[in-house]
Structure formats: C-alpha cells, structure tokens
Amino acid sequence: MYGLVSRKFTKTLASLILVVFSLSFTASMYSQVTGATLSGTVTDATGAIISGAQVSIKNIATGISKDVTVDSSGFYTVPNLPAGVYEVRVTAAGFSTALQSNLTLAVGAQQLLNFPLKIGTTTETVQVTAAAPQIELTSSTLTGQVESKTVLDLPLNGRDWTSLATLHPGVNLIENQMDYASGSARGNRGFGAELTVSGQRTSNNNYRLDGVSVNDYANGGPGNVIGAALGVDAIQEFSVLTGGFSAEYGKATGGVVNAITKSGTNAFHGDVYEFIRNSALDSRDYFSRSGDTPVAQFRRNQFGAAAGGPIIKDKTFIFGDYEGMRQAKGITTTITVPSDTARGEPSNTLQTPTKQITEPQLHQFCALRSPILPSAR
C-alpha cells in the first residue's frame, strides 16, 4: 500500500515539475520575440570604461524598475523589457548621476544606449538630452513599427489591425480570396489577410501575438469568417520584420508580424465603442440602378469595450477587451441565362441552324420547344 502511494506521489510530482518547466520555457520564448533589449557601455569623459556602475531602467506607465550592474568591460544589457516609455538612470561612485528620460522601446527592439559619465557626486544629476539612435545598431533585421496611436487613429474597414502591415515597404495585400458566393470553398485558403512580404508566398509568413504563433489552419493570417482580425483596442503595437531576422522568430521565410497586447498601468483607462454600416445609408451600385431592384441588404455592427488599471500600484495590473461583430449581407450577383433563340423565341439575328448552342447542359434549363435544338450527344 505504501509503495502504491509512493509511486502515485512520484508521478504527480514529476507531472508538476514538467508543467512548471514547460511554463518557464514558454515564458522565456515569449520574451525573446516580444521584449525589447537595452544595452550599451558606461565610460568616463575620456572614454575609459567604468565597471561596477549601477543601471536602473524604469517603466513610466507601470513604475516597474529593473536594475543591472555594469560588467568588467563596461557593458550592460537589460533584456525582456515590455514595449513602452522608460527612464534610465546610471550611477557610479565618484561620478554624477546620468538620467535619460522619455526613452521609447518598441516591441522586439534591440536598442543601444551609451552613457559617458562626468566626475562629480551621485547627488548631482546630469540630464542626457541626446536622443537615442533611431537605427538599431545591434541588429541587421529589416523592420518597421506600427504604434498604438497609428492602430487606433487610421480608418480600418472591418477594424482588421493586420492590414496596417501594408504601410511598410515590401508588404502588399493579395486579393485572391474567393467570393462569399462561392460558399464553403471560400475558406480553402483561410479567412485572414493574405500578405506577400518581399515577394514571398502568403503562406510563408508568421503572425505572432504576445510571442505565440497565431497562424490559421491554412498557415495564413488570423481572421474570422468575414476576413478580419478583431481586437484593435487590445493591440498596443506591432512590428513587421521583412528580412534578416534571427532564428528566434523562425517558422517564416517571408515576413513576421509581431504584435503585443496592452496591459494595465497605474492609471485607469478604457473605452466603449460601436461602429456601424447600413445599406440604408448606401447609394445604388451599377447593377441596382434600373428597375425596382432593391439595394442589397448590408448591416454591420462592431461593438465592444476595453479597460485596464492597477490592482496593486507599481506591481500588479489588469486589462481586458471585448469586441463583437454582427453582420448581415446580401450579395448582388450576375448570372448567364439562355438567350431568346435558345428558348425557342423568334429572333432576327438567327442566320443558320448550324450556329446554335449545342451544349447538352442547355437542356437542363430550357424547354425543348425549338426544332433547331440538337439532341444530347
């Protein structure tokens, strides 16, 4: 009996350790592609390295700080930083404190920031006014950023945030989805946006949300049956990697769309919204201009709410978002029907019986009232 309990306990413990290890491994992989990295050197006015200096980087929105110590070569690095605005403070014995404010780090960025310290006391603070380099000097990746303000301010048909990737060079939207009238075949290539990056196939891209690949079953972009990836108000920002990215991203020979969601901050923030489209406000299209043909019905309602804030100030935060879509859409289509001649009606254009339609499928649509119609082959 004791041996049976011991074996069960051992199996349970092993399973628990495996789960904890898996979660730890997942968190590490998550931060590799979504967290920013800040690195650089600390020197004195002559360019000599200063080892042992303390570097503190603080997120302005959340108040969370990370502290590192400069190594013996004068180098420091702070990895896995959430995208946002930061304040960096560097202190060392015998030198004035250096302060860099309003440093913006983007998703997955590798930012280089060097600090030359001046002789003085640590109570003296020197404000660094030089802007951080806009070019990533530590990486050869070709990338572009789409910030939260851009995501929210630019008009989006269907509020599909992935369509903003086309703002960057080398990214184009391929309109090869089947029409809704094709029925279930429309989903053969997936429902999301189909982007070609640097001339690659649309299925060669990788879409990541908070470090997790969200490609659909056809290895295309994420999207619902209408073809839109919802959740604009939950996206903080995203980057588009078009070439030269490292192996940590993987699963793509085309491009990588790397997005992160918002988080709560020390300030409460949120919004409630609804966007509508209705055919009652539309003009007639070309095929509905004559006769009594009604305008095809079209009603779309997109609504939702997003809110976030602190649970424990400077420590724990919460954010949530909901977006719903309701759509009813009629489709105006054109069809080919048999001509008057094919239906047996008299026509002045008929020249000779040998030029009549001879396809056997025609008999499915016509009453065989004309002696000139041939029999089925």
PDB file of all heavy atoms in Angstrom, residues 10-26:
ATOM      1  N   THR A  10       5.076  10.125  -6.714  1.00  0.00           N
ATOM      2  CA  THR A  10       6.204  10.388  -7.600  1.00  0.00           C
ATOM      3  C   THR A  10       5.727  10.825  -8.984  1.00  0.00           C
ATOM      4  O   THR A  10       6.252  11.771  -9.578  1.00  0.00           O
ATOM      5  CB  THR A  10       7.088   9.132  -7.726  1.00  0.00           C
ATOM      6  OG1 THR A  10       7.538   8.744  -6.423  1.00  0.00           O
ATOM      7  CG2 THR A  10       8.288   9.406  -8.620  1.00  0.00           C
ATOM      8  N   LYS A  11       4.697  10.136  -9.501  1.00  0.00           N
ATOM      9  CA  LYS A  11       4.158  10.505 -10.811  1.00  0.00           C
ATOM     10  C   LYS A  11       3.548  11.901 -10.792  1.00  0.00           C
ATOM     11  O   LYS A  11       3.731  12.694 -11.709  1.00  0.00           O
ATOM     12  CB  LYS A  11       3.111   9.474 -11.246  1.00  0.00           C
ATOM     13  CG  LYS A  11       3.690   8.112 -11.610  1.00  0.00           C
ATOM     14  CD  LYS A  11       2.592   7.166 -12.064  1.00  0.00           C
ATOM     15  CE  LYS A  11       3.164   5.817 -12.464  1.00  0.00           C
ATOM     16  NZ  LYS A  11       2.090   4.884 -12.906  1.00  0.00           N
ATOM     17  N   THR A  12       2.824  12.197  -9.700  1.00  0.00           N
ATOM     18  CA  THR A  12       2.209  13.523  -9.586  1.00  0.00           C
ATOM     19  C   THR A  12       3.266  14.613  -9.510  1.00  0.00           C
ATOM     20  O   THR A  12       3.152  15.660 -10.159  1.00  0.00           O
ATOM     21  CB  THR A  12       1.308  13.591  -8.343  1.00  0.00           C
ATOM     22  OG1 THR A  12       0.324  12.564  -8.426  1.00  0.00           O
ATOM     23  CG2 THR A  12       0.614  14.950  -8.248  1.00  0.00           C
ATOM     24  N   LEU A  13       4.303  14.361  -8.721  1.00  0.00           N
ATOM     25  CA  LEU A  13       5.375  15.332  -8.581  1.00  0.00           C
ATOM     26  C   LEU A  13       6.104  15.535  -9.902  1.00  0.00           C
ATOM     27  O   LEU A  13       6.427  16.661 -10.293  1.00  0.00           O
ATOM     28  CB  LEU A  13       6.356  14.879  -7.498  1.00  0.00           C
ATOM     29  CG  LEU A  13       7.548  15.829  -7.215  1.00  0.00           C
ATOM     30  CD1 LEU A  13       7.020  17.178  -6.748  1.00  0.00           C
ATOM     31  CD2 LEU A  13       8.471  15.216  -6.169  1.00  0.00           C
ATOM     32  N   ALA A  14       6.347  14.437 -10.630  1.00  0.00           N
ATOM     33  CA  ALA A  14       7.028  14.537 -11.919  1.00  0.00           C
ATOM     34  C   ALA A  14       6.188  15.337 -12.911  1.00  0.00           C
ATOM     35  O   ALA A  14       6.712  16.160 -13.663  1.00  0.00           O
ATOM     36  CB  ALA A  14       7.318  13.141 -12.463  1.00  0.00           C
ATOM     37  N   SER A  15       4.886  15.102 -12.915  1.00  0.00           N
ATOM     38  CA  SER A  15       3.995  15.852 -13.809  1.00  0.00           C
ATOM     39  C   SER A  15       4.005  17.331 -13.465  1.00  0.00           C
ATOM     40  O   SER A  15       4.024  18.189 -14.352  1.00  0.00           O
ATOM     41  CB  SER A  15       2.570  15.296 -13.722  1.00  0.00           C
ATOM     42  OG  SER A  15       2.535  13.926 -14.075  1.00  0.00           O
ATOM     43  N   LEU A  16       3.987  17.638 -12.160  1.00  0.00           N
ATOM     44  CA  LEU A  16       4.000  19.036 -11.731  1.00  0.00           C
ATOM     45  C   LEU A  16       5.291  19.727 -12.147  1.00  0.00           C
ATOM     46  O   LEU A  16       5.276  20.869 -12.632  1.00  0.00           O
ATOM     47  CB  LEU A  16       3.815  19.114 -10.216  1.00  0.00           C
ATOM     48  CG  LEU A  16       3.776  20.516  -9.597  1.00  0.00           C
ATOM     49  CD1 LEU A  16       2.608  21.305 -10.178  1.00  0.00           C
ATOM     50  CD2 LEU A  16       3.666  20.434  -8.079  1.00  0.00           C
ATOM     51  N   ILE A  17       6.415  19.048 -11.971  1.00  0.00           N
ATOM     52  CA  ILE A  17       7.703  19.616 -12.359  1.00  0.00           C
ATOM     53  C   ILE A  17       7.743  19.856 -13.860  1.00  0.00           C
ATOM     54  O   ILE A  17       8.243  20.879 -14.338  1.00  0.00           O
ATOM     55  CB  ILE A  17       8.857  18.687 -11.919  1.00  0.00           C
ATOM     56  CG1 ILE A  17       8.958  18.649 -10.383  1.00  0.00           C
ATOM     57  CG2 ILE A  17      10.182  19.150 -12.521  1.00  0.00           C
ATOM     58  CD1 ILE A  17       9.971  17.654  -9.869  1.00  0.00           C
ATOM     59  N   LEU A  18       7.184  18.916 -14.643  1.00  0.00           N
ATOM     60  CA  LEU A  18       7.159  19.060 -16.095  1.00  0.00           C
ATOM     61  C   LEU A  18       6.331  20.265 -16.512  1.00  0.00           C
ATOM     62  O   LEU A  18       6.720  21.031 -17.395  1.00  0.00           O
ATOM     63  CB  LEU A  18       6.599  17.792 -16.728  1.00  0.00           C
ATOM     64  CG  LEU A  18       6.504  17.792 -18.272  1.00  0.00           C
ATOM     65  CD1 LEU A  18       7.893  17.947 -18.876  1.00  0.00           C
ATOM     66  CD2 LEU A  18       5.849  16.503 -18.759  1.00  0.00           C
ATOM     67  N   VAL A  19       5.180  20.456 -15.846  1.00  0.00           N
ATOM     68  CA  VAL A  19       4.326  21.596 -16.169  1.00  0.00           C
ATOM     69  C   VAL A  19       5.032  22.903 -15.833  1.00  0.00           C
ATOM     70  O   VAL A  19       5.025  23.855 -16.625  1.00  0.00           O
ATOM     71  CB  VAL A  19       2.986  21.504 -15.409  1.00  0.00           C
ATOM     72  CG1 VAL A  19       2.209  22.809 -15.534  1.00  0.00           C
ATOM     73  CG2 VAL A  19       2.160  20.346 -15.946  1.00  0.00           C
ATOM     74  N   VAL A  20       5.659  22.979 -14.645  1.00  0.00           N
ATOM     75  CA  VAL A  20       6.377  24.186 -14.248  1.00  0.00           C
ATOM     76  C   VAL A  20       7.508  24.486 -15.208  1.00  0.00           C
ATOM     77  O   VAL A  20       7.724  25.626 -15.631  1.00  0.00           O
ATOM     78  CB  VAL A  20       6.904  24.050 -12.803  1.00  0.00           C
ATOM     79  CG1 VAL A  20       7.817  25.221 -12.453  1.00  0.00           C
ATOM     80  CG2 VAL A  20       5.741  23.978 -11.816  1.00  0.00           C
ATOM     81  N   PHE A  21       8.260  23.435 -15.594  1.00  0.00           N
ATOM     82  CA  PHE A  21       9.358  23.616 -16.546  1.00  0.00           C
ATOM     83  C   PHE A  21       8.833  24.106 -17.885  1.00  0.00           C
ATOM     84  O   PHE A  21       9.425  24.991 -18.508  1.00  0.00           O
ATOM     85  CB  PHE A  21      10.114  22.302 -16.716  1.00  0.00           C
ATOM     86  CG  PHE A  21      11.197  22.374 -17.758  1.00  0.00           C
ATOM     87  CD1 PHE A  21      12.415  22.988 -17.474  1.00  0.00           C
ATOM     88  CD2 PHE A  21      10.999  21.844 -19.029  1.00  0.00           C
ATOM     89  CE1 PHE A  21      13.404  23.065 -18.433  1.00  0.00           C
ATOM     90  CE2 PHE A  21      11.985  21.919 -19.990  1.00  0.00           C
ATOM     91  CZ  PHE A  21      13.195  22.521 -19.698  1.00  0.00           C
ATOM     92  N   SER A  22       7.697  23.548 -18.334  1.00  0.00           N
ATOM     93  CA  SER A  22       7.129  23.952 -19.616  1.00  0.00           C
ATOM     94  C   SER A  22       6.697  25.400 -19.578  1.00  0.00           C
ATOM     95  O   SER A  22       6.932  26.159 -20.520  1.00  0.00           O
ATOM     96  CB  SER A  22       5.930  23.056 -19.961  1.00  0.00           C
ATOM     97  OG  SER A  22       6.322  21.708 -20.055  1.00  0.00           O
ATOM     98  N   LEU A  23       6.069  25.823 -18.478  1.00  0.00           N
ATOM     99  CA  LEU A  23       5.651  27.209 -18.358  1.00  0.00           C
ATOM    100  C   LEU A  23       6.843  28.144 -18.336  1.00  0.00           C
ATOM    101  O   LEU A  23       6.827  29.214 -18.950  1.00  0.00           O
ATOM    102  CB  LEU A  23       4.807  27.394 -17.092  1.00  0.00           C
ATOM    103  CG  LEU A  23       3.431  26.724 -17.100  1.00  0.00           C
ATOM    104  CD1 LEU A  23       2.755  26.903 -15.751  1.00  0.00           C
ATOM    105  CD2 LEU A  23       2.551  27.292 -18.211  1.00  0.00           C
ATOM    106  N   SER A  24       7.901  27.755 -17.645  1.00  0.00           N
ATOM    107  CA  SER A  24       9.103  28.582 -17.585  1.00  0.00           C
ATOM    108  C   SER A  24       9.731  28.701 -18.968  1.00  0.00           C
ATOM    109  O   SER A  24      10.157  29.774 -19.385  1.00  0.00           O
ATOM    110  CB  SER A  24      10.118  27.981 -16.600  1.00  0.00           C
ATOM    111  OG  SER A  24       9.553  27.881 -15.313  1.00  0.00           O
ATOM    112  N   PHE A  25       9.763  27.570 -19.685  1.00  0.00           N
ATOM    113  CA  PHE A  25      10.343  27.584 -21.024  1.00  0.00           C
ATOM    114  C   PHE A  25       9.513  28.450 -21.954  1.00  0.00           C
ATOM    115  O   PHE A  25      10.042  29.221 -22.740  1.00  0.00           O
ATOM    116  CB  PHE A  25      10.423  26.148 -21.547  1.00  0.00           C
ATOM    117  CG  PHE A  25      11.006  26.043 -22.931  1.00  0.00           C
ATOM    118  CD1 PHE A  25      12.365  26.203 -23.135  1.00  0.00           C
ATOM    119  CD2 PHE A  25      10.193  25.787 -24.023  1.00  0.00           C
ATOM    120  CE1 PHE A  25      12.907  26.114 -24.398  1.00  0.00           C
ATOM    121  CE2 PHE A  25      10.720  25.691 -25.283  1.00  0.00           C
ATOM    122  CZ  PHE A  25      12.081  25.851 -25.472  1.00  0.00           C
ATOM    123  N   THR A  26       8.183  28.342 -21.837  1.00  0.00           N
ATOM    124  CA  THR A  26       7.303  29.156 -22.670  1.00  0.00           C
ATOM    125  C   THR A  26       7.493  30.633 -22.387  1.00  0.00           C
ATOM    126  O   THR A  26       7.531  31.463 -23.282  1.00  0.00           O
ATOM    127  CB  THR A  26       5.833  28.767 -22.433  1.00  0.00           C
ATOM    128  OG1 THR A  26       5.682  27.381 -22.715  1.00  0.00           O
ATOM    129  CG2 THR A  26       4.900  29.562 -23.327  1.00  0.00           C
TER     130      THR A  26
END
